[in-house]
Amino acid sequence: MAEMFDLTGFQRDLLYVIHGLDDPHGLAIKEEVDKYYQEEIHHGRLYPNLDTLVNKGLVEKGTKDRRTNSYSTTRRGEREVTARTEWENQYLKGEPSEGSVAVDSSDNPA
C-alpha cells in the first residue's frame, strides 16, 4: 500500500496538482508544475513519475483520445492528500492564509 511518505516531493506535487484539477491531461499537469517550479519539467521526468503514482494506486490513468491520457486521483489518493493536508495544517498554524502576499526572501541573507 502506498503512503504519502513513500513519495518523492515531486511525486507529491504531481498528486496535489492532479487532485486539484478536473481529470487533467499530462500537458496540463506539466504546465501547472512548470509554473510552480519556475522551470520547464521535461517529459522524461514527468511521465515516469505519473506512471509511478498510477502503479502505487494513487492515480488512475484514463484515455481522452488516441494520443492523450487523463489522470485522476483514486479514493486512496484522495485519502492520502487529505491526511497529508491535515498533518501539515497542524504545524502550519499562524502561517499566512490564502490571499496573503508571500515575501521572497531568497535574496536576503539569513
Side-chain angles (χ1 to χ4, degrees):
M1 180 170 148
E3 301 288 339
M4 191 67 80
F5 58 79
D6 289 334
L7 303 179
T8 66
F10 183 69
Q11 291 166 347
R12 188 171 50 238
D13 293 342
L14 292 175
L15 181 60
Y16 278 33
V17 167
I18 293 165
H19 182 71
L21 297 176
D22 185 25
D23 295 331
H25 53 84
L27 289 178
I29 297 166
K30 180 185 179 309
E31 289 172 5
E32 291 297 318
V33 176
D34 283 350
K35 283 190 277 186
Y36 177 74
Y37 282 85
Q38 298 180 355
E39 65 180 338
E40 183 178 357
I41 303 301
H42 297 285
H43 294 199
R45 181 177 182 199
L46 176 68
Y47 290 102
N49 281 286
L50 288 172
D51 288 340
T52 297
L53 294 174
V54 171
N55 292 337
K56 288 181 178 281
L58 300 170
V59 169
E60 183 174 17
K61 180 165 52 170
T63 304
K64 285 194 176 202
D65 59 44
R66 290 183 7 194
R67 295 187 54 207
T68 307
N69 293 320
S70 63
Y71 298 87
S72 59
T73 49
T74 61
R75 284 189 194 164
R76 184 193 299 154
E78 291 173 8
R79 283 192 308 266
E80 290 294 330
V81 168
T82 299
R84 174 66 185 215
T85 302
E86 289 171 358
W87 181 81
E88 288 175 350
N89 285 340
Q90 73 179 332
Y91 298 105
L92 296 176
K93 293 177 183 170
E95 289 291 315
S97 61
E98 271 188 52
S100 296
V101 176
V103 176
D104 181 6
S105 61
S106 61
D107 293 335
N108 296 334

